[in-house]
Amino acid sequence: MPPVRPSDATPPPPGSAAARTTASDLDTAAVPLPHDEGATADPVWADDGPVEAHHDTRELAARFEDEKPGRVLSGPVGLLFTGGTVAVALLALWQVFFPLPQGSKYYLIFFLAGVLPMVFLAYPSGVRLRRRPAERGGPSPVDWLLALTALLACLYPVLPATVGTGGGGYDAFLDRQGLLEPLDVALGTVLLLLLLEACRRTTGWILPAVCLLFLAYGYYGGLLPQSWPVAHAGLDFAQLVDAFYNSDSGFYGTPLDVAASYIVLFTIYGAVLDLSGAGRFFVELSAAAFRRSRTAAGRTAVASGFLLGTVSGSGAATTVSIGAVTWPILRRAGYPAERAGGMLAAAGVGAILSPPTLGAAAFIIAEYLGVSYLQVLGWATVPTSTVE
């Protein structure tokens, strides 16, 4: 997007023919929207240039996503990482059209084996040891070791090799449910620790701490006074690992099933839209719909954010993608920087909390409650209508 500066051109008067007839070139000197009556300031030029002049949109979106910012991988590591993501995407699409005959848990094992190692490559540990500089660049040797260990721990249930009394393939692993061998317990414990570490790297300490709290409750629950309603007999550590590693309610339970069956498809679709320039198309479509409105600029930003947000699944990415195109429009329409930024943020984040997408949580709600996704959408229309 070329910079738009006062020295390049003079903005057309609000409501003039030039402002109305300039078609869809939203990122050039002329902006085809009149002065917005919802604005509080006079029309100004976006003299700070386009968003891309200061930040890469993907890096900017990552800074404000729920997950922590990851590394920018390049070179051979970047190619390896890209190959892994493509393989996981193809596996998810294959499962949709040609489900694996061994069942969904078999598929989830391979899905987790594909995504968990990439977490350690893409996200730095954030732990700074004494007398050692902060992590920079690509993955460290520790990250590679964790990635390889995660791959082994995830694939262990389906590996045909027999190691002592463990291993032996997928069917043999299922036959040991409730009576895990020491090797099963060891690798299940390793996978548990790796999942906690991956969660800490991506979201911080709060969620792993909650998981450890409930894990301690399961193990030490027998020490609670038996008169308490939450007291129980307590579980052996091998029983806990068995519930996590060799059942349908642990590592391979509903959250991972929803992520591997629904969320990954929306992620692939959102990536296709992002790379195909759908953000600009949605902006142009919204501008054409509200061209005659007195608040055209504001409505264009909100409508385009809603259109892209319903399929992107990421509020931060929607805000940045739409903002890169509509920011100059809002500034020229007279919106102060603070108000324009607030409008773009509300449009991007609010879109994924409204039907028909509702973000990833909607799929988990439908699975846990045993209702259809359309019914969850119906429930969500009530708070959405109230807020709007």
Side-chain angles (χ1 to χ4, degrees):
M1 183 187 301
V4 180
R5 301 188 181 281
S7 59
D8 297 336
T10 302
S16 65
R20 292 192 303 268
T21 58
T22 304
S24 62
D25 197 8
L26 299 175
D27 57 346
T28 54
V31 177
L33 294 174
H35 177 70
D36 198 330
E37 291 189 357
T40 58
D42 294 330
V44 295
W45 284 88
D47 194 40
D48 49 359
V51 175
E52 291 91 339
H54 302 292
H55 300 282
D56 180 79
T57 54
R58 295 181 184 178
E59 294 181 3
L60 187 61
R63 287 175 53 193
F64 298 97
E65 242 333 339
D66 293 335
E67 293 83 10
K68 292 183 177 181
R71 296 186 178 101
V72 178
L73 302 177
S74 59
V77 178
L79 293 177
L80 177 63
F81 190 86
T82 302
T85 56
V86 172
V88 171
L90 293 177
L91 175 64
L93 295 176
W94 182 272
Q95 178 67 12
V96 172
F97 296 104
F98 309 100
L100 298 177
Q102 294 87 347
S104 62
K105 183 178 178 180
Y106 190 77
Y107 159 66
L108 294 178
I109 290 175
F110 284 99
F111 182 84
L112 184 62
V115 298
L116 183 58
M118 291 191 289
V119 173
F120 298 105
L121 301 181
Y123 291 88
S125 65
V127 177
R128 298 181 61 181
L129 302 178
R130 293 182 178 180
R131 299 181 181 180
R132 292 191 61 180
E135 296 182 59
R136 292 183 180 180
S140 66
V142 175
D143 295 329
W144 284 106
L145 178 61
L146 292 176
L148 293 176
T149 306
L151 182 63
L152 175 62
C154 290
L155 291 180
Y156 167 75
V158 298
L159 293 179
T162 300
V163 182
T165 56
Y170 182 62
D171 293 335
F173 181 74
L174 293 181
D175 291 339
R176 296 193 297 271
Q177 186 173 9
L179 297 171
L180 295 184
E181 298 294 338
L183 182 60
D184 302 333
V185 177
L187 287 174
T189 303
V190 170
L191 183 56
L192 172 63
L193 296 176
L194 290 173
L195 287 171
L196 290 174
E197 170 60 13
C199 185
R200 184 198 66 82
R201 290 192 180 204
T202 55
T203 64
W205 285 99
I206 296 179
L207 189 55
V210 173
C211 295
L212 290 174
L213 177 64
F214 280 95
L215 184 64
Y217 167 71
Y219 186 75
Y220 294 106
L223 301 179
L224 298 175
Q226 294 303 308
S227 59
W228 290 12
V230 295
H232 59 86
L235 297 173
D236 185 74
F237 187 75
Q239 292 178 297
L240 292 174
V241 174
D242 179 74
F244 291 145
Y245 200 30
N246 201 353
S247 71
D248 296 332
S249 59
F251 301 149
Y252 311 108
T254 300
L256 182 62
D257 189 17
V258 171
S261 302
Y262 302 107
I263 299 176
V264 66
L265 300 180
F266 275 86
T267 303
I268 296 172
Y269 184 41
V272 172
L273 289 177
D274 182 37
L275 296 177
S276 62
R280 183 174 301 280
F281 167 75
F282 287 140
V283 172
E284 294 179 356
L285 179 63
S286 303
F290 298 109
R291 188 176 302 278
R292 298 182 181 276
S293 173
R294 295 181 178 180
T295 57
R299 293 188 177 186
T300 296
V302 174
S304 57
F306 173 78
L307 291 173
L308 183 60
T310 53
V311 292
S312 71
S314 171
T318 300
T319 301
V320 173
S321 300
I322 295 301
V325 183
T326 59
W327 178 262
I329 300 176
L330 293 173
R331 295 300 304 274
R332 289 202 55 202
Y335 281 88
E338 295 81 3
R339 187 170 181 179
M343 179 180 296
L344 291 172
V349 176
I352 64 171
L353 301 178
S354 303
T357 300
L358 300 178
F363 299 102
I364 300 178
I365 292 173
E367 287 290 327
Y368 271 120
L369 298 182
V371 299
S372 66
Y373 181 66
L374 293 178
Q375 190 170 352
V376 178
L377 296 185
W379 294 339
T381 56
V382 177
T384 300
S385 304
T386 304
V387 173
E388 292 178 354

